[in-house]
């Protein structure tokens, strides 16, 4: 039996598909009689656009990275799914315009989708597969459906299987019953389900006992109950990326691509098990946190890095296993491999933990900051406040760690003052890493806001862009899609615009700003070189110096007074409060609720050295 695993657009072209890599290894290990091939449709689509209409890989990447929230990647392919080249062309143009994409480029993409799919059909059929398995996440749905439909037309005997995040829960059953050219849909984790399905196909039947499987009983679409227990991480194989690397290395796009490896050390979210962030639906039907042992993960990481000679590594975990600070990170530090690893973390990590991550080569973090206001963060059920999040930004700057984050708004119960209080302080944060953008939250399936309308969103309808993509009844669309439209909550457009403008000023000033504290023991000298602030040297001595050191961590006024007392300083609470207000005016501290934190970094940030080197090079 021959199986082709397909990863369609808009899979990132510089990264392998983790599901394809895992399933390839799994089938090779568990199904001795199955020969596996791969089709890397994202790379082939980017090549096709580049060769046919001159669309560069950067335009592919822009849509792949940012298009998910407005569905433009699927709108590009929607005409092919329904054999209607003119389908919703005006909506496609409007979407491109609204989100700052070049309309002509997007229309050139649309014009060559049919040619691409014809080529893709021939290439997949050349493998002479018995089964084609599509892994579908976010914008991969429509390109996968369009190719699957064509494959069935030329090879009616071909068995088509879908799986992936787009197939979780009711989405998978809706996909199966509305697109009858799909033979099977695997809902949930595939490590046990796919080998069982392949075994049943080989045997000619017996599908009712495969957990999560959607299958046809005559003309009736049957959906088996999904597994309630997650796959143990110990049985998850090392992904096979040889096929992806071979395709990429032979591709004309290779000079334009900086390859990265993709790996996972855990699934689920240990914070979400206790406090599910109200807007997040990413874990779907399986929230339970389970992680690989340090030995297993290190074996996978070192094996992949050595095999592929790629040092940039992206982990897809939702959250870092805190035990790794004792078990995994020391081993990564000891290896001294010059790794550049990405991880998602919780934002309450301490300074020493950020330092440990940096030493281990974890140079890019996504901490899920989302806001710098404690009240809004409480509405999210984040378990942190704004001062804690600012402390993280400062500690990342200290350790030359890149921090990726976005500022979200639109939460039921938030107030304008939750934002004005932060906007007023943003000029003082200009030396710390700004958010990439600010945006109103979007309703996600599986999130508490979706599951519990009493939290504030009573109207939930399939996102408007989904209606332009699929020709389906409302009830079927409501089961199929991941994103939903709802009535706006929280702040008005006026406040949101002020937030956006403040963040844009922050972004412009960040590369040229520094606020650096030189702690000399008896005194602390703080050099202010931030954009928008006059250059000045602040000199802190006595209890002021001890207080500023203490604000390296989040402190209340009461806690700071107690700390100073323990250090031998008898200072009244009102005096400390007045001093803090002076520091706030000077932009030396950040304040949220009753918590305060210092803003000065401990060294001149690397960005300043780079800017100075660039200026020196220009003057030379």
């Amino acid at each position: 039996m021959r199986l082709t695993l397909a990863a369609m657009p808009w899979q990132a072209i510089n990264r392998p598909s983790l599901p394809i890599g895992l399933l390839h290894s799994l089938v090779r290990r568990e199904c001795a009689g199955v020969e596996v091939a791969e089709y890397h449709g994202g790379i082939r689509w980017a090549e096709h656009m580049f060769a046919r209409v001159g669309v560069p890989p950067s335009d592919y990447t822009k849509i792949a990275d940012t298009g998910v929230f407005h569905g433009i990647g699927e709108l590009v392919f929607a005409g092919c799914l329904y054999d209607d080249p003119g389908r919703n062309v005006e909506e496609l143009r409007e979407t491109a315009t609204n989100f700052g994409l070049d309309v002509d480029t997007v229309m050139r993409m649309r014009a060559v989708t049919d040619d691409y799919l014809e080529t893709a059909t021939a290439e997949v059929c050349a493998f002479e597969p018995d089964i084609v398995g599509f892994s579908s996440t976010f914008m991969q749905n429509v390109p996968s459906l369009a190719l699957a439909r064509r494959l069935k037309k030329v090879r009616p005997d071909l068995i088509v299987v879908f799986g992936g995040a787009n197939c979780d829960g009711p989405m998978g059953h809706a996909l199966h019953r509305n697109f009858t050219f799909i033979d099977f849909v695997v809902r949930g984790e595939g490590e046990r389900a796919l080998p069982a399905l392949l075994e049943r196909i080989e045997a000619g039947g017996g599908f009712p006992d495969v957990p999560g499987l959607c299958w046809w009983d005559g003309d009736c679409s049957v959906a088996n109950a999904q597994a309630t227990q997650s796959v143990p991480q110990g049985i998850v194989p090392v992904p096979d990326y040889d096929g992806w690397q071979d395709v990429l290395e032979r591709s004309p796009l290779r000079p334009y691509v900086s390859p990265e490896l993709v790996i996972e050390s855990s699934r689920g979210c240990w914070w979400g098990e206790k406090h599910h962030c109200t807007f997040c639906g990413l874990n779907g039907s399986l929230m339970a946190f389970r992680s690989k042992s340090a030995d297993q993960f290190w074996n996978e990481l070192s094996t992949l890095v050595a095999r592929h000679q790629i040092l940039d590594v992206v982990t897809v975990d939702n959250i870092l296993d805190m035990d790794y600070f004792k078990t995994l990170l020391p081993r990564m530090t000891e290896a001294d491999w010059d790794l550049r690893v990405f991880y998602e973390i919780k934002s309450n990590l301490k300074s020493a933990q950020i330092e440990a991550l940096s030493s281990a080569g974890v140079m890019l973090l996504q901490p899920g900051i989302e806001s710098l206001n404690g009240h809004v963060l409480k509405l999210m059920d984040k378990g942190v406040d704004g001062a804690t999040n600012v402390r993280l930004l400062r500690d990342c700057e200290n350790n030359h760690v890149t921090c990726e984050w976005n500022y979200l708004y639109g939460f039921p119960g938030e107030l304008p003052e939750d934002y004005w209080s932060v906007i007023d302080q943003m000029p003082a944060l200009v030396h710390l890493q700004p958010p990439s953008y600010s945006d109103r939250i979007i309703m996600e399936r599986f999130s508490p806001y979706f599951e519990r309308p009493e939290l504030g969103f009573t109207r939930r309808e399939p996102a408007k862009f989904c209606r332009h993509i699929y020709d389906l009844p409302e009830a079927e669309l409501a089961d199929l899609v991941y994103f939903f439209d709802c009535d706006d909550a929280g702040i008005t457009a006026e406040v949101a615009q002020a937030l956006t403008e403040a963040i844009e000023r922050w972004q412009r000033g960040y590369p040229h700003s520094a606020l650096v504290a030189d702690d000399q023991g008896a005194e602390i000298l703080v050099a202010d070189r931030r954009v928008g602030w006059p250059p000045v040297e602040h000199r802190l001595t006595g209890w002021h110096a001890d207080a500023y050191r203490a604000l390296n961590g989040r402190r209340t006024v009461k806690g700071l007074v107690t700390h100073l007392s323990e250090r031998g300083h008898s200072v009244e609470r009102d005096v400390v409060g007045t001093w803090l207000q002076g520091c706030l005016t000077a932009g030396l501290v950040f304040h949220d609720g009753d918590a305060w934190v210092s803003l000065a970094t401990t060294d001149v940030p690397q960005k300043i050295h780079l800017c100075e080197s660039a200026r020196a090079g220009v003057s030379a």
Side-chain angles (χ1 to χ4, degrees):
M1 189 161 57
R2 306 187 73 180
L3 167 67
T4 295
L5 297 170
M8 292 295 285
W10 296 79
Q11 166 71 34
I13 57 177
N14 67 322
R15 299 173 185 169
S17 166
L18 178 62
I20 298 303
L22 287 175
L23 294 176
H24 191 146
S25 289
L26 182 80
V27 171
R28 186 173 61 238
R29 185 183 74 191
E30 303 290 336
C31 309
V34 179
E35 182 182 347
V36 182
E38 297 175 3
Y39 178 70
H40 296 279
I43 295 175
R44 300 293 288 127
W45 167 234
E47 290 172 348
H48 191 83
M49 289 190 294
F50 192 36
R52 290 292 306 277
V53 288
V55 174
S58 58
D59 285 335
Y60 175 102
T61 299
K62 186 173 184 179
I63 289 181
D65 288 349
T66 65
V68 63
F69 296 111
H70 45 79
I72 196 164
E74 295 198 287
L75 278 169
V76 167
F77 278 90
C80 292
L81 178 58
Y82 293 102
D83 283 334
D84 181 5
R87 176 179 172 80
N88 293 327
V89 167
E90 290 310 311
E91 286 82 359
L92 179 59
R93 289 180 177 275
E94 181 183 353
T95 302
T97 300
N98 290 343
F99 290 92
L101 300 170
D102 183 75
V103 176
D104 289 341
T105 298
V106 172
M107 297 313 297
R108 292 206 310 274
M109 292 179 176
R110 180 71 174 270
V112 294
T113 51
D114 192 70
D115 288 347
Y116 161 70
L117 288 169
E118 184 176 338
T119 301
T121 300
E123 290 176 345
V124 172
C125 287
F127 298 140
E128 298 184 352
D130 302 295
I131 305 168
V132 176
F134 290 90
S135 174
S136 181
T137 299
F138 290 138
M139 292 190 298
Q140 291 179 297
N141 235 23
V142 172
S144 298
L145 288 168
L147 178 58
R149 189 175 68 89
R150 291 187 177 223
L151 287 169
K152 272 291 196 179
K153 280 187 175 181
V154 301
R155 283 276 312 277
D157 62 320
L158 187 68
I159 296 173
V160 171
V161 182
F162 269 62
N166 286 336
C167 302
D168 198 7
M171 297 186 293
H173 194 195
L175 194 68
H176 188 253
R177 66 178 179 260
N178 283 288
F179 298 97
T180 56
F181 50 81
I182 302 175
D183 296 286
F184 300 99
V185 171
V186 175
R187 301 186 301 157
E189 297 174 298
E191 281 83 0
R192 283 177 170 158
L194 182 61
L197 173 61
L198 296 177
E199 179 183 322
R200 303 304 191 281
I201 291 173
E202 183 73 23
F207 305 113
D209 64 340
V210 180
L213 186 69
C214 296
W215 53 284
W216 293 101
D217 185 2
D219 293 332
C220 179
S221 172
V222 179
N224 298 345
Q226 284 190 230
T228 56
Q229 291 187 332
S230 57
V231 170
Q233 290 298 281
I235 73 168
V236 177
V238 178
D240 184 335
Y241 292 148
D242 290 354
W244 162 78
Q245 189 169 40
D246 181 59
V247 169
L248 181 61
E249 293 298 330
R250 290 187 289 107
S251 173
L253 305 181
R254 181 62 183 87
Y256 304 91
V257 174
S258 297
E260 299 172 341
L261 295 174
V262 180
I263 193 169
E264 64 175 357
S265 59
S266 69
R267 295 178 185 174
C269 180
W270 54 260
W271 176 254
E273 285 185 275
K274 300 175 289 185
H275 299 275
H276 191 170
C277 296
T278 52
F279 62 93
C280 179
L282 289 179
N283 283 286
S285 59
L286 284 174
M287 179 67 74
F289 183 73
R290 58 274 191 207
S291 67
K292 297 173 181 175
S293 69
D295 287 342
Q296 181 185 359
F297 181 67
W298 175 249
N299 175 62
E300 292 186 21
L301 178 62
S302 56
T303 297
L304 290 171
V305 168
R307 184 175 184 86
H308 298 284
Q309 295 294 291
I310 297 173
L311 294 170
D312 292 295
V313 180
V314 176
T315 64
V316 298
D317 303 40
N318 289 146
I319 196 166
L320 176 70
D321 185 341
M322 297 300 286
D323 285 343
Y324 281 178
F325 282 102
K326 299 182 212 173
T327 59
L328 175 66
L329 297 183
R331 189 175 300 185
M332 293 172 64
T333 302
E334 200 174 301
D336 194 24
W337 276 13
D338 194 27
L339 291 170
R340 294 175 294 275
V341 180
F342 166 86
Y343 249 113
E344 290 191 38
I345 62 168
K346 191 161 168 30
S347 63
N348 63 347
L349 295 186
K350 303 294 190 291
S351 300
Q353 292 171 319
I354 300 298
E355 183 179 355
L357 287 167
S358 177
S359 297
V362 182
M363 305 306 296
L364 180 61
L365 295 175
Q366 184 174 309
I369 289 175
E370 272 91 46
S371 179
L372 300 180
N373 176 267
H375 179 233
V376 177
L377 289 161
K378 187 174 182 180
L379 294 174
M380 300 182 200
D381 210 358
K382 280 286 187 177
V384 295
D385 63 5
T388 300
N389 284 344
V390 169
R391 182 192 69 192
L392 179 79
L393 292 175
R394 186 203 63 208
D395 292 343
C396 286
E397 201 73 42
N398 280 336
N399 290 282
H400 310 300
V401 171
T402 299
C403 180
E404 287 189 348
W405 67 290
N406 307 312
Y407 210 113
L408 301 182
Y409 59 86
F411 297 89
E414 68 184 17
L415 303 169
E417 51 264 36
D418 297 332
Y419 291 84
W420 291 122
S421 63
V422 176
I423 291 170
D424 288 344
Q425 296 185 78
M426 279 187 178
L429 306 177
V430 70
H431 61 299
L432 304 179
Q433 295 171 66
S436 299
Y437 61 83
S438 62
D439 208 351
R440 189 173 293 276
I441 60 169
I442 187 169
M443 176 76 70
E444 299 180 4
R445 186 185 294 278
F446 304 116
S447 70
Y449 279 146
F450 179 82
E451 302 287 353
R452 299 171 56 196
E454 70 272 14
L455 293 178
F457 294 103
T458 55
R459 182 180 73 88
R460 296 165 300 160
E461 299 173 356
K464 181 180 177 181
F465 67 78
C466 297
R467 294 186 176 92
H468 300 324
I469 294 169
Y470 297 102
D471 184 12
L472 290 174
E474 184 76 6
E476 293 300 318
L477 203 57
D479 278 351
L480 178 69
V481 304
Y482 180 78
F483 292 115
F484 291 79
D485 289 336
C486 53
D487 295 326
D488 288 348
I491 58 173
T492 64
E494 177 188 6
V495 181
Q497 182 61 30
L499 175 66
T500 297
E501 291 172 356
I503 289 172
E504 289 173 349
R505 290 191 293 271
W506 185 353
Q507 291 169 337
R508 289 193 297 270
Y510 169 67
H512 314 288
S513 296
L515 180 70
V516 181
D518 179 13
D519 192 339
Q520 300 180 356
E523 62 182 11
I524 300 175
L525 300 177
V526 182
D528 192 345
R529 300 296 183 269
R530 290 172 293 182
V531 169
W533 296 78
V536 65
E537 309 285 335
H538 299 275
R539 182 169 176 265
L540 304 175
T541 61
W543 71 264
H544 295 156
D546 278 342
Y548 202 73
R549 290 189 191 99
L551 290 173
N552 183 65
R554 174 193 177 279
R555 299 270 183 175
T556 63
V557 175
K558 181 181 178 181
L560 188 55
V561 169
T562 300
H563 173 81
L564 290 172
S565 176
E566 292 170 351
R567 299 281 297 175
H569 303 291
S570 180
V571 188
E572 295 294 328
R573 181 169 179 166
D574 289 348
V575 174
V576 172
T578 300
W579 175 76
L580 284 170
Q581 287 296 329
C583 289
L584 186 65
T585 301
L588 299 181
V589 296
F590 179 84
H591 177 230
D592 176 44
D594 64 351
W596 300 77
V597 67
S598 64
L599 293 179
T601 62
T602 56
D603 193 8
V604 177
Q606 191 169 1
K607 63 184 179 182
I608 299 296
H609 292 305
L610 293 174
C611 287
E612 289 174 348
S613 297
R615 285 196 295 271
V618 170
S619 62

